[in-house]
Amino acid sequence: MPVVLIAAISVTATACQSSSGKDSAGSDARDVPSAAPAAADYNPTPYDKIKDGGTYTTVGTFDDQGNPFNVNATLTASRVWAWYNADAITYSPTGKVQYNPDYYSDVKVSVEGGNQKVTLTINPKAVFNDGTPIDWTAIKATWKANNGSDKAYAASSTDGYDHITSVEKGTNAKQAVITFKGVNASWSSLFTTFLHPKAATVDNFDKAYVKKAHPEWGAGPYTIGTWDTHSGNITFVRNPKWWGKRGKLDRRVYVNLESTAAVNAFKNGQLDYVSAVDAESLKQVKGLKGTEIRSGGSPFEYSLYFNTKSPVLADNDVRRAVQESIDRTQIAKIRFQGLDYKEPLPGSAVLYSFQKGYEDNVSAVLKYAPDDAKKALDAAGWKPGGDGIRVKNGKKLEVGYTLLGDDPLDKATAGAFAAMLKPVGISLVIKKADEADFSNILSERKFDLFLSGNRSMDPFGARYLCDFYCSDRASNITGAGSPALDKEIRATTKIADLDQQAAAVNKVERKALQEYALLPLFSGPSTYGVKQGLANVGATIFYNPLPETVGWEK
C-alpha cells in the first residue's frame, strides 16, 4: 500500500496562524524555502506511561472498498484496516524500517547470485481471529493477489510484487522465504500488512470488503465492536484473541461526519482530534481549553487530475493550455491564506522536497504562461467566440471541474481555477458532488478535472512511478501514457540502488509530465487540534503508531 488517494477536503494543508498577519504564499519568491518542513509533532509517549482505559474518537467511516490492497481503496480504508488487521512493518517519521515482533519475530535479508532473498520468521503465537495460524501461506496469498499475474484481481499496485519469483515455506510453516528477481531495497513496503488466505481469493479480494468488515480474517490488539452501515460509525474494542501487548484504549471510535461539521464536534467535546483544514478552522480550535495544536511535515500531495478519456481533454494541446493557464503560486496563496507556512511548489508526484533524490520535474517541463496557452489553442483551431470562450467545429471549449462537498476553501480554489482559465478562452463548468461519491468518481472516471491528494504510506516514493503514469494501471486515474513510456517507467523499478533509481525516476517523470495529465499543486503541513494528553497522535510523516500504543497519558 505505497500511496493512497484522498479527497481534497480530507486532510487539507494547514499550519499555525501567522503572528504578522501577512499571508505567507504571497511573500517574495526569495522567501520560499528550498524544501518543505520535515518535523514530526505527535506527543511520542512510551507504552508504560499511557494509562489503561479511555476512548479515542475521531471523524471517519468505512469506505466503499475496505481492502487497502484494492485499486478502489482510499486513505480511509487503510486507516480503518490498521485498527483490526496486522501492522507488521511500520516506519519512523523519517522513514526508517521498524519490524513488529508480534508478527515478524525475525527478518533476514540476503543476496545470492544477484537475487535477493527475504526470510520472514512469523511469531509462533500469531493467529487470525478465526483460529487460522498466521504463517507463510498468508504471505504467499498476499503476493499472489498483488503480483499482476491474474488480471482478475483489481490490485492497487503490482510494483515490487511482480519482481518476486517465489514465496515458499521455510524450516516450518511459520517461516516464509521470499525470492526476488534482482534486488529490491524497498521490499518492506510490500508486507507491512497481509491478507488472510480466504480474503485473497479473486472474489473476496474485490468484493468481500465492499461496505463490509471481516473481523474473523483480521488480527491485532483490537477488533470490531460495532460496524453500523446505517450511520457509518465504527467502534473498535480490545481483541480477546490478541497475543501481544494489550491495547491501552477501551474503545476506538470513528464518527461519520462531513468535514465541515468536524470542527464543531471537536469544540463540543465529541471528538478528541480534528484536522484543522484551513485558517478559519484552526482559529476555532486554537486556544480552546485543553487543546493542543500539533503541526508538522506532510507526506501528502494534492494534484489536479485530467481525464484524458473525456472528449474535451483527449487533446494534449488543450491539457497543456489548461496547465499553462494555472498560476500554482496563486493556488498555494489561497490554500495557505492567513497561515504562517511556506513551501516550494511541488515538483514531483512521487518524491517530496524534503527527501533525498528529489528534483523539481514540473518546473523542468512547464511554466505559468497564459499567453503561450492562447497561441497553442489558436494553432489547434480553437478560435475565440463572441463571449470570449473559444469554439471549434461549433463546440465551445468547456471543461468540467468536479467539486466535492461544501468546504469553503475548496469552493475558493475552484473559483480561482475558473478565473484563471476564462481569459485564455476556456470555460470551467463546476459540477458539485457529495464527499461520499469520491471513490465512485475516481473508479468510473466521472470527471474532466478533479483535485485530489495522495498520502505516501512509506518513504520509497520513487518505486511507485507506475501507479501515477503507466497507461495500463487502474491507479493511473488520468488514463494518460503509452506502452513505450510504460517500458521506461518499469525499467526504473529494476534499479537496486535507491539513489540511482531516484535519478532515473526524475528523468522519466519529466517525460510523463509532458502528457500534461497531472499537475502537482501543493502539500502543506499536517495540522491537527488534539485534546491534551492524547499520546502518539498527530503529525507523524511516515510513522503510523501501532494501535496498542495510542491512548491517554497517565
Side-chain angles (χ1 to χ4, degrees):
M1 299 181 302
V3 173
V4 287
L5 279 161
I6 44 181
I9 37 75
S10 300
V11 203
T12 312
T14 57
C16 296
Q17 196 106 19
S18 166
S19 53
S20 67
K22 291 177 187 171
D23 55 55
S24 59
S27 59
D28 190 297
R30 287 168 299 188
D31 293 341
V32 176
S34 60
D41 184 9
Y42 60 96
N43 188 22
T45 308
Y47 182 81
D48 58 6
K49 296 276 196 275
I50 300 169
K51 71 178 183 186
D52 279 319
T55 300
Y56 168 42
T57 306
T58 65
V59 165
T61 184
F62 46 80
D63 227 350
D64 275 2
Q65 175 55 261
N67 170 13
F69 292 100
N70 190 283
V71 71
N72 294 321
T74 67
L75 179 61
T76 305
S78 293
R79 286 180 164 162
V80 169
W81 176 272
W83 276 91
Y84 77 110
N85 289 279
D87 293 285
I89 298 176
T90 55
Y91 299 93
S92 74
T94 54
K96 191 177 174 213
V97 181
Q98 301 172 329
Y99 303 118
N100 184 348
D102 285 329
Y103 296 100
Y104 301 148
S105 51
D106 187 56
V107 179
K108 283 196 171 59
V109 183
S110 60
V111 179
E112 298 164 22
N115 294 323
Q116 182 173 303
K117 193 171 274 191
V118 177
T119 304
L120 298 177
T121 302
I122 296 159
N123 190 315
K125 295 177 185 169
V127 64
F128 289 106
N129 293 334
D130 68 356
T132 305
I134 296 174
D135 62 16
W136 77 283
T137 60
I139 304 300
K140 185 179 181 179
T142 302
W143 164 57
K144 286 273 193 187
N146 289 286
N147 66 16
S149 60
D150 185 343
K151 301 295 180 203
Y153 286 97
S156 173
S157 180
T158 59
D159 290 329
Y161 298 106
D162 57 357
H163 291 167
I164 295 172
T165 52
S166 67
V167 175
E168 293 168 332
K169 182 173 149 184
T171 52
N172 57 44
K174 282 284 187 177
Q175 195 172 71
V177 181
I178 306 160
T179 305
F180 287 83
K181 186 178 183 196
V183 179
N184 187 326
S186 59
W187 72 268
S188 61
S189 64
L190 308 177
F191 298 104
T192 56
T193 187
F194 42 75
L195 294 163
H196 190 297
K198 282 184 183 170
T201 65
V202 171
D203 210 45
N204 286 337
F205 185 90
D206 290 343
K207 298 175 190 165
Y209 289 96
V210 173
K211 292 195 174 172
K212 281 196 209 76
H214 283 278
E216 74 280 12
W217 296 341
Y222 294 91
T223 189
I224 288 164
T226 57
W227 183 277
D228 188 337
T229 50
H230 178 68
S231 69
N233 297 348
I234 311 167
T235 302
F236 294 98
V237 295
R238 288 194 191 95
N239 184 2
K241 294 173 180 172
W242 174 236
W243 57 91
K245 275 184 180 171
R246 188 171 182 262
K248 289 289 187 177
L249 295 165
D250 291 328
R251 280 184 307 285
R252 163 68 171 108
V253 181
Y254 281 107
V255 181
N256 184 21
L257 289 173
E258 286 275 318
S259 56
T260 45
V263 171
N264 284 332
F266 180 81
K267 286 165 72 177
N268 295 337
Q270 294 164 265
L271 303 177
D272 301 311
Y273 163 103
V274 70
S275 177
V277 297
D278 53 27
E280 180 55 34
S281 57
L282 182 62
K283 194 167 128 189
Q284 288 193 52
V285 299
K286 201 176 183 183
L288 277 180
K289 196 178 174 192
T291 296
E292 287 178 11
I293 302 300
R294 297 182 189 168
S295 184
S298 173
F300 294 94
E301 183 171 282
Y302 296 84
S303 300
L304 189 62
Y305 289 85
F306 292 61
N307 179 4
T308 62
K309 306 302 179 194
S310 90
V312 69
L313 292 175
D315 184 342
N316 189 291
D317 289 330
V318 173
R319 298 197 300 272
R320 180 171 184 164
V322 171
Q323 293 200 5
E324 287 178 335
S325 306
I326 290 173
D327 184 352
R328 296 193 300 149
T329 304
Q330 191 63 27
I331 297 299
K333 187 176 178 180
I334 291 165
R335 302 304 299 200
F336 307 144
Q337 190 171 13
L339 304 170
D340 185 19
Y341 176 71
K342 294 171 188 167
E343 68 178 19
L345 291 170
S348 169
V350 292
L351 290 169
Y352 300 95
S353 59
F354 56 74
Q355 286 187 285
K356 192 180 172 195
Y358 165 86
E359 287 179 22
D360 184 355
N361 299 323
V362 175
S363 295
V365 303
L366 181 80
K367 61 182 188 293
Y368 170 54
D371 288 342
D372 289 353
K374 288 177 189 173
K375 287 174 195 163
L377 291 172
D378 285 340
W382 289 97
K383 303 300 179 194
D387 58 359
I389 302 305
R390 290 174 183 269
V391 179
K392 182 179 179 181
N393 300 330
K395 192 170 167 52
K396 285 193 171 194
L397 186 43
E398 292 180 336
V399 178
Y401 179 90
T402 302
L403 175 65
L404 286 190
D406 55 3
D407 182 75
L409 195 55
D410 287 330
K411 284 180 184 171
T413 305
F417 286 138
M420 289 169 190
L421 294 174
K422 193 177 178 185
V424 180
I426 302 169
S427 170
L428 192 71
V429 181
I430 296 168
K431 300 172 179 179
K432 296 203 72 177
D434 291 335
E435 290 177 29
D437 296 333
F438 175 59
S439 295
N440 191 252
I441 286 163
L442 295 187
S443 62
E444 297 187 22
R445 282 206 185 102
K446 293 179 179 172
F447 66 93
D448 286 343
L449 294 177
F450 189 67
L451 177 60
S452 181
N454 283 284
R455 186 194 197 279
S456 296
M457 305 300 279
D458 66 55
F460 308 114
R463 294 267 164 186
Y464 307 115
L465 198 64
C466 207
D467 288 347
F468 289 94
Y469 299 115
C470 278
S471 63
D472 56 358
R473 275 288 167 84
S475 56
N476 171 7
I477 60 174
T478 70
S482 66
L485 184 61
D486 296 350
K487 198 173 172 185
E488 286 189 60
I489 291 170
R490 289 197 163 96
T492 68
T493 67
K494 297 182 172 74
I495 301 168
D497 181 273
L498 292 175
D499 293 341
Q500 288 173 22
Q501 186 192 48
V505 158
N506 284 316
K507 200 172 161 188
V508 180
E509 187 175 30
R510 291 179 186 200
K511 284 190 182 179
L513 286 165
Q514 288 173 62
E515 296 281 335
Y516 301 103
L518 181 150
L519 180 63
L521 291 172
F522 58 91
S523 288
S526 300
T527 300
Y528 307 97
V530 185
K531 277 195 187 163
Q532 274 171 1
L534 188 56
N536 299 318
V537 166
T540 57
I541 312 183
F542 293 118
Y543 180 46
N544 280 318
L546 296 173
E548 62 268 36
T549 68
V550 173
W552 299 92
E553 288 175 311
K554 284 180 178 173

